Amino acid sequence: MSDTVVTRFAPSPTGFLHIGGARTALFNWLYARRHGGKMLLRIEDTDRERSTEAAIKAILDGLSWLGLTWDGDVVYQYARAARHREVAEQLLRAGKAYYCYASQQELEEMREQARREGRPMRYDGRWRDRDPSEAPAGVKPVIRLKAPTDGETVIEDEVQGRVTWQNKDLDDLVLLRSDGTPTYMLAVVVDDHDMAVTHVIRGDDHLTNAARQKQIYDALGWDVPRFAHIPLIHGPDGAKLSKRHGALGVDAYRSMGYIPAALRNYLVRLGWSHGDQEIFSTEEMIAAFDLASVGRSPARFDFAKLENLNGHYMRLADDEDLIRAIEAILPELGPSRGLGTTFDPSLRRKLLAAMPGLKERAKTLVELLDSASYLYARRPLALDEKAKGLLGDDGRGRLAIVLPRLEAIADWSAETTEAAVRGVAEETGLKLGQLAQPLRAALTGRATSPGLFDVMAVLGRDESLSRLRDQLA
RNA sequence: GCGCCCAUCGUCUAGCGGUCUAGGACGUCGCCCUUUCACGGCGAAAACAGGGGUUCGAGUCCCCUUGGGCGCGCCA
């Protein structure tokens, strides 16, 4: 076995790439990067009924958006069915597996009886040592593994530690279905072996599977990869993640205006820690990531923390990059906001100019776009309730005082407008806020916005003055 | 039901027998900064699930209880 670390992410394409899957992929990716190895991608599409082309695309797109690149070609498990069958037959010839002719009904009865007797539900091995000549006519058999009946199966898990099962609690699992297709259990073992996977990093829900897979490895005489079963992500209520909270596809997070750097940082800290460090650049997380520091208890998904991180990374982001990120989701966001699916050049320029003030205040790209509404709102502006409150008689009166001074400015800029408004404040004895708030309301239709003078500068002289006059008309 | 896993502030977590009157972050609440909102700064409230052991000493080790989770398919 080679020294090079090979990890793999192996989703089944029966739905979108959900947040737990994304984190599993991230951990695999980080571990491979950390050790100068490779992360392979395998699509587990042996369930022909439920696997879809759309799901495959969603997974690939999701990984790409998150910046999690895989090495080599994508492996499609279904395409390897012949190899899986070959291994099952190899096991059969070696006496490590056998044909089982038990019917669905027999299996059901076994389960029922086990339940009644309070025993673990397991196949009783009735065909284990029976001669195939006793096979009922017309029944297509499955191939089962002849698993050890006593002793124990032990997994040395990189995060869970040593986990032990009594072999008597594990039954003879099906390797090959009666239609000749491999089961997940067989396919995973064969593929991981053939792909030279050294580290299997996956969700905790597979821990029990690891025991059964270990038995297959042993029967085959193959080296067992290192296992690392990471705790699952739960919803805010501690129960299973449902669509209501976090069990959305990563595309949904994209649509909600989260950016990849934030999601990566949020995800890496779910179940993994590195002292007190909270913020990790991609390079930092690669350098610091290790399996030993992965916790064993499940984590709850917390939107508030994700938002905080998203705000952090947005403030750090390049202005032009943020615009591009918004443009990428504009087809979804634009229409309902009276915008098209792309920005017209003039609005794009304004957005770029206002970006420093905008990104400081938003937690998501959606919030950012909404807070920029004053840039694309049409005159006369619709005022929200608070803005209306600011433009009562007093407010309008102050507006009337300031307006002529602003009209007198020829070289319109943040500096000149600020000087003018401050001048009025000094002369009248009014506080700056008493003048600024009515101006803000008239210019943006809201009580909050980026810095007032930046707003006026980006809007320009004509538009600014027109909006002020609209409110005095 | 059986098997396996887990258990520190509301949440993510630090803690790997004494340095813990338990640290950080998000969130919450104050104060400061301030043209608003944010950002930033300062500060506060907030946790070792319960019970037994082991030990000179336990958040840290063991057992039990309780509470959660995952698994128990010819699904993956």
Side-chain angles (χ1 to χ4, degrees):
Chain A
M1 215 179 231
S2 115
D3 296 324
T4 320
V5 165
V6 179
T7 66
R8 62 17 168 221
F9 178 55
S12 57
T14 54
F16 41 49
L17 174 62
H18 60 86
I19 207 71
R23 189 189 55 158
T24 299
L26 175 64
F27 280 18
N28 274 287
W29 184 80
L30 288 173
Y31 193 78
R33 282 283 179 284
R34 168 77 178 80
H35 295 281
K38 294 179 191 311
M39 178 181 87
L40 274 22
L41 177 63
R42 182 172 71 230
I43 301 293
E44 312 221 312
D45 56 351
T46 54
D47 185 341
R48 306 312 290 167
E49 296 293 301
R50 300 195 298 152
S51 298
T52 67
E53 208 53 47
I56 293 173
K57 185 179 186 314
I59 290 166
L60 265 35
D61 288 350
L63 290 174
S64 300
W65 178 69
L66 270 175
L68 304 181
T69 50
W70 57 91
D71 296 289
D73 294 331
V74 177
V75 173
Y76 290 88
Q77 193 160 59
Y78 181 66
R80 296 178 38 80
R83 164 66 175 155
H84 301 144
R85 196 175 311 127
E86 173 191 316
V87 172
E89 279 157 7
Q90 174 189 330
L91 246 14
L92 199 60
R93 282 194 303 276
K96 300 283 180 64
Y98 60 92
Y99 284 118
C100 168
Y101 296 84
S103 67
Q104 291 293 347
Q105 197 190 338
E106 284 178 81
L107 261 17
E108 194 45 52
E109 283 165 8
M110 266 179 244
R111 271 191 281 273
E112 265 313 303
Q113 193 178 338
R115 182 191 294 275
R116 273 197 308 274
E117 296 173 9
R119 288 188 292 105
M121 290 171 232
R122 52 189 293 271
Y123 169 71
D124 64 7
R126 61 183 56 178
W127 284 93
R128 189 177 165 104
D129 298 308
R130 242 205 276 185
D131 195 283
S133 64
E134 297 176 44
V139 175
K140 303 207 73 170
V142 299
I143 293 178
R144 284 184 187 270
L145 178 73
K146 194 176 277 186
T149 51
D150 49 24
E152 47 192 32
T153 293
V154 178
I155 298 294
E156 297 288 351
D157 195 275
E158 301 280 312
V159 347
Q160 303 291 340
R162 166 180 292 218
V163 187
T164 306
W165 288 264
Q166 297 305 312
N167 285 332
K168 64 178 172 55
D169 294 333
L170 271 12
D171 62 3
D172 291 343
L173 65 276
V174 174
L175 297 170
L176 208 67
R177 300 185 189 109
S178 51
D179 65 359
T181 61
T183 59
Y184 162 79
M185 228 46 97
L186 205 224
V188 166
V189 169
V190 174
D191 290 346
D192 283 339
H193 174 264
D194 290 357
M195 291 162 77
V197 170
T198 59
H199 295 255
V200 172
I201 303 170
R202 75 227 305 192
D204 210 2
D205 49 340
H206 286 285
L207 185 58
T208 318
N209 292 336
R212 330 206 66 184
Q213 288 163 203
K214 167 82 159 51
Q215 294 184 327
I216 300 177
Y217 278 106
D218 289 348
L220 255 3
W222 289 348
D223 285 337
V224 181
R226 305 298 304 180
F227 286 112
H229 289 91
I230 62 182
L232 302 175
I233 299 173
H234 291 164
D237 54 359
K240 193 171 179 170
L241 218 41
S242 74
K243 281 190 187 174
R244 229 180 48 256
H245 14 269
L248 305 161
V250 297
D251 60 305
Y253 290 88
R254 193 175 85 127
S255 301
M256 286 186 277
Y258 294 105
I259 60 179
L263 204 50
R264 261 182 268 136
N265 198 147
Y266 177 69
L267 253 19
V268 82
R269 283 287 291 100
L270 230 43
W272 176 79
S273 61
H274 187 64
D276 282 340
Q277 190 172 349
E278 297 285 347
I279 302 294
F280 292 86
S281 68
T282 301
E283 293 69 32
E284 286 174 321
M285 57 177 94
I286 289 172
F289 189 77
D290 63 331
L291 260 14
S293 299
V294 174
R296 278 122 291 168
S297 54
R300 300 184 188 201
F301 193 87
D302 181 16
F303 270 106
K305 191 148 187 174
L306 208 211
E307 275 203 350
N308 172 273
L309 249 10
N310 206 61
H312 172 87
Y313 282 102
M314 278 174 51
R315 289 193 291 277
L316 251 45
D318 175 77
D319 296 346
E320 178 65 34
D321 288 347
L322 284 174
I323 295 212
R324 275 196 283 263
I326 295 172
E327 283 174 323
I329 52 175
L330 202 56
E332 298 164 63
L333 302 180
S336 63
R337 289 166 176 76
L339 296 165
T341 54
T342 59
F343 288 131
D344 71 68
S346 132
L347 174 54
R348 197 180 195 284
R349 272 194 302 277
K350 285 184 198 156
L351 217 41
L352 191 59
M355 193 53 82
L358 254 18
K359 70 182 181 186
E360 185 83 15
R361 293 166 170 78
K363 300 233 181 285
T364 67
L365 295 173
V366 175
E367 258 183 52
L368 177 85
L369 184 61
D370 284 337
S371 71
S373 65
Y374 68 92
L375 294 176
Y376 51 83
R378 299 209 185 288
R379 288 181 45 219
L381 259 53
L383 308 181
D384 69 17
E385 287 309 309
K386 285 180 181 166
K388 278 180 194 159
L390 289 169
L391 286 172
D393 293 342
D394 287 355
R396 283 215 303 283
R398 292 185 211 126
L399 218 53
I401 300 173
V402 185
L403 183 58
R405 302 290 289 269
L406 290 172
E407 286 173 323
I409 296 173
D411 55 335
W412 189 269
S413 72
E415 290 71 30
T416 54
T417 52
E418 176 162 6
V421 176
R422 283 191 187 277
V424 173
E426 255 173 62
E427 290 161 26
T428 59
L430 289 167
K431 300 184 79 168
L432 190 53
Q434 292 178 293
L435 294 171
Q437 283 303 82
L439 281 168
R440 186 187 314 281
L443 289 164
T444 69
R446 300 184 176 187
T448 66
S449 79
L452 184 62
F453 307 110
D454 293 326
V455 167
M456 285 198 267
V458 172
L459 248 23
R461 186 176 191 275
D462 291 348
E463 180 69 18
S464 297
L465 293 177
S466 297
R467 290 188 184 190
L468 296 180
R469 289 185 196 116
D470 284 345
Q471 297 308 321
L472 290 172

